[in-house]
Amino acid sequence: MRGFARWTALLAAAGLLMTGCSGGSSGDDTSGGRTGRAQPSARSSAAASPLPSSLTSQRLDWGRCRATADFSAPGADWQCATLKVPLDWSKPHGKTIGLALIRAKARGENRIGSLLFNFGGPGSSGVSTMPAYAAVVPLLRERYDLVSWDPRGVGASEGVRCLGDREIQAAEKVDITPDTSAEEQAYLRNATAFGKGCKKDAGELLAHVSTTDTARDMDLMRQVLGDRKTHYFGISYGTQLGGVYAHLFPRNVGRLVLDAVVDPSADTVGHAENQARGFQRALNAYLKSTGQDPGQGSRKIADLLKRLDANPLPTSSRRQLTQALAFIGIVRPLYSKESWPTLTSALDAAVQGDGSELLALADDYNGRDPSGHYGTGTHAQRVISCLDNKQRLTAQKAKKLLPQFERISPVFGPFLGWDTAGWCHDWPVAGLYETPEVSAPGAAPILVVGNTGDPATPYEGTRKMADELGEDVGVMLTWRGQGHGAYGRGSACVDSAVNAYLLSGSVPRNGKVCS
C-alpha cells in the first residue's frame, strides 16, 4: 500500500495498546491522582546539563537510503543518516547509541526549516513510514525538509526484538480473557516471558527508551539539523511525545501539530477505559452504517468472541482463528471508515465458520508477513510504554475492574480490562510515572487536533491536552469525523487550517470546528 492507505495501516499496527501499559505481580498501585507526574525538575535539569561538542557539533553524513520501493521511487530523493545520542541522558559524556534518520529536502523557496514527524505507537518506524506519508503532505514539503527517525529501541535505532517468530505465533493461542486459574497463570507467564526476552535482547537500553529520553533526543536533533526552533507533527502517541517535548523545552517550541491526541491526564485504568469507549463508539457508528442496532450488533459480536474462546475457527491456512486473533481482526478496520466494508465481509465469513478474513486482518495489524515473520513494532511499543508507566496492577485488581469495563463495551471491555494487568506484568525495569507532564508555560501556540469519532485516542483527550499545555499554548481544532486522526483524511477545513499554521504561522481560532 502507498500514500494514505499505507500510513493508516502503519498507524493501526501500532495503535491499540499504545496506552494499555500496566500490570505486575508485585504491588498494586492504582491511584489515579497527579502525584506521579514526569520528573518535576526535568526542564531545569535539561538546561543545567550542557552537552559535549562531540554531540552538538556532529555532522550528519546524509547518504542514499537502502533500496526499497518507497525510497527508490522517481523523484523521492530520500536521504538517510545516523545521529549519535547519549544512551543515558543523565550521563551525556558517556556511551552513545545511533538513531536512524530520514529526510527529503524542501522543494521550494523560502525554506522554514525541518519538520519532524512521529507517527505514533510508541514503536512506529519513522524511517519506513515517512516516504509513504510524504504523499499526504506535498504542500508542507515545499517549505520544510521532511524529517523522521526511528526512536530509540525502534527499528534501525537499536530496535528491540523480545521473542522469535515461533514464540510469537505460539503466544497467539494464549487466552486473553482468562476464565480459569490455569488460563490466568498461562496469561501471566506469557507476559513474564515477553519481558525477560526484552531484557535479554535490549540489556541496559531497556531503562533508557522512555518518552522523556526521546524528547531529549529531539532537541539534540534540532541542534544538529541547524534549526533554532523545533517544528513538529505528532500523530497518536506522537502527541504525547510532543507534549513532553514542549514541557521540557518550551522556549524551543516552534510550530507543533498534535493530531489524534492521547489524554495526558489518564492513568493506566483511565487509558484502558478511554480506548474501550473509543472503539465501542467506532463500532456503534459502523453498525449504524450497516442498518444494525448498535446494542444488538455488539452483543452478536461479543457472543462470537465468546464462542471462539472455546472453539477457534478454521482458516484457509493451517492456523486457527483464536479469540485473541479475532479481537485484533475486528479492531483493525475500525481505524478507518474506508475499511468498514472489509469488517462486514470478515464478520460474515466468521459467522459462516471461516476465520480466514479476520485472521488476515489480525496478521496485517500484527505485522506478520506471508512467510510467518513478525515485525517488532509491538515489541518496541511495549518496552517504551512499560518504562513510561510506573503503575503495576495485579490480576486481582483487573478482575475487580472487569464489570465496569464490560459496561463500557461488551466487545472490547473484557480484553482491555485484563490488559491493565497483563501488558507490563513482571516487567524487568521500574516505570517512571503515572501520567506524563505536558504543561508548557511560555511555549508558542501548539495546534491540538481532535476527531470526534477517533477509536484509539478518543476526542476527550484533545481538550485535556490543550488544557494541560496551558492557557495561550494549547489551541483546539475539532473535526466531526470517523477514524484515527484528522489531518489528511478528507476534510479540507482541517487540512487548510493545519497547513496555514505550519506554512505561515497562522493560528486558527481556539475551538474551531470542522464538520
Side-chain angles (χ1 to χ4, degrees), residues 440-458:
I446 296 172
L447 187 56
V448 184
V449 188
N451 176 358
T452 58
D454 198 308
T457 52

Side-chain angles (χ1 to χ4, degrees), residues 24-31 391-398 400:
S25 58
S26 59
D28 188 7
D29 183 358
T30 60
S31 60
Q391 290 186 290
R392 301 290 188 257
L393 272 69
T394 63
Q396 288 72 26
K397 177 62 177 179
K400 291 179 180 179

Side-chain angles (χ1 to χ4, degrees), residues 126-148:
V127 171
S128 62
T129 308
M130 189 73 252
Y133 189 68
V136 183
V137 292
L139 288 179
L140 302 181
R141 189 179 172 186
E142 290 302 309
R143 299 193 62 194
Y144 285 102
D145 295 347
L146 305 184
V147 179
S148 193

Side-chain angles (χ1 to χ4, degrees), residues 330-355:
I330 292 167
V331 162
R332 172 64 185 88
L334 293 178
Y335 277 84
S336 172
K337 188 175 181 179
E338 291 74 19
S339 298
W340 288 359
T342 306
L343 179 57
T344 298
S345 178
L347 287 173
D348 287 346
V351 170
Q352 297 301 317
D354 182 0

Side-chain angles (χ1 to χ4, degrees), residues 152-415:
R152 51 177 64 210
V154 177
S157 299
E158 305 286 340
V160 179
R161 174 174 285 277
C162 302
L163 296 175
D165 292 333
R166 291 183 179 179
E167 295 169 304
I168 297 171
Q169 183 166 321
E172 292 174 343
K173 298 178 181 179
V174 173
D175 193 329
I176 61 174
T177 56
D179 305 302
T180 67
S181 176
E183 289 179 348
E184 182 180 317
Q185 292 305 310
Y187 178 72
L188 297 177
R189 282 197 304 272
N190 179 66
T192 296
F194 192 92
K196 287 182 176 178
C198 297
K199 178 65 175 178
K200 181 179 180 181
D201 186 72
E204 60 182 336
L205 177 66
L206 199 65
H208 302 290
V209 292
S210 72
T211 298
T212 299
D213 291 319
T214 294
R216 295 185 185 281
D217 294 341
M218 282 175 58
D219 204 61
L220 177 58
M221 197 179 304
R222 172 192 63 80
Q223 297 176 65
V224 174
L225 290 171
D227 292 313
R228 188 175 65 87
K229 299 284 187 179
T230 294
H231 307 300
Y232 173 78
F233 201 129
I235 301 167
S236 197
Y237 159 81
T239 65
Q240 178 176 319
L241 174 59
V244 170
Y245 177 86
H247 169 69
L248 293 174
F249 305 100
R251 300 298 178 184
N252 296 341
V253 168
R255 299 170 189 175
L256 266 66
V257 175
L258 309 181
D259 185 13
V261 184
V262 175
D263 181 353
S265 70
D267 63 3
T268 292
V269 175
H271 275 310
E273 289 179 336
N274 285 348
Q275 290 206 309
R277 191 172 293 113
F279 280 109
Q280 186 62 50
R281 285 177 186 167
L283 183 64
N284 290 346
Y286 156 74
L287 290 168
K288 287 180 180 178
S289 75
T290 62
Q292 300 181 66
D293 174 75
Q296 293 179 357
S298 293
R299 283 191 291 274
K300 289 180 181 178
I301 294 173
D303 288 343
L304 171 64
L305 290 171
K306 287 178 181 178
R307 293 196 300 272
L308 289 171
D309 192 5
N311 299 294
L313 285 178
T315 69
S316 57
S317 69
R318 295 181 179 179
R319 297 160 65 208
Q320 291 183 318
L321 179 73
T322 63
Q323 183 195 48
L325 290 168
F327 179 88
I328 297 299
I330 292 167
V331 162
R332 172 64 185 88
L334 293 178
Y335 277 84
S336 172
K337 188 175 181 179
E338 291 74 19
S339 298
W340 288 359
T342 306
L343 179 57
T344 298
S345 178
L347 287 173
D348 287 346
V351 170
Q352 297 301 317
D354 182 0
S356 302
E357 293 184 44
L358 279 176
L359 179 62
L361 288 167
D363 284 348
D364 178 53
Y365 189 104
N366 290 327
R368 185 184 193 274
D369 66 23
S371 70
H373 179 68
Y374 292 80
T376 59
T378 55
H379 301 217
Q381 180 185 49
R382 204 157 171 175
V383 301
I384 295 167
S385 58
C386 289
L387 179 57
D388 276 355
N389 196 329
K390 70 184 293 185
Q391 290 186 290
R392 301 290 188 257
L393 272 69
T394 63
Q396 288 72 26
K397 177 62 177 179
K399 284 188 281 189
K400 291 179 180 179
L401 293 173
L402 287 177
Q404 72 188 56
F405 273 93
E406 290 174 356
R407 284 193 293 270
I408 294 171
S409 171
V411 176
F412 307 106
F415 169 71

Side-chain angles (χ1 to χ4, degrees), residues 449-467:
V449 188
N451 176 358
T452 58
D454 198 308
T457 52
Y459 175 70
E460 290 84 350
T462 309
R463 168 58 68 188
K464 297 290 182 62
M465 177 66 80
D467 287 346

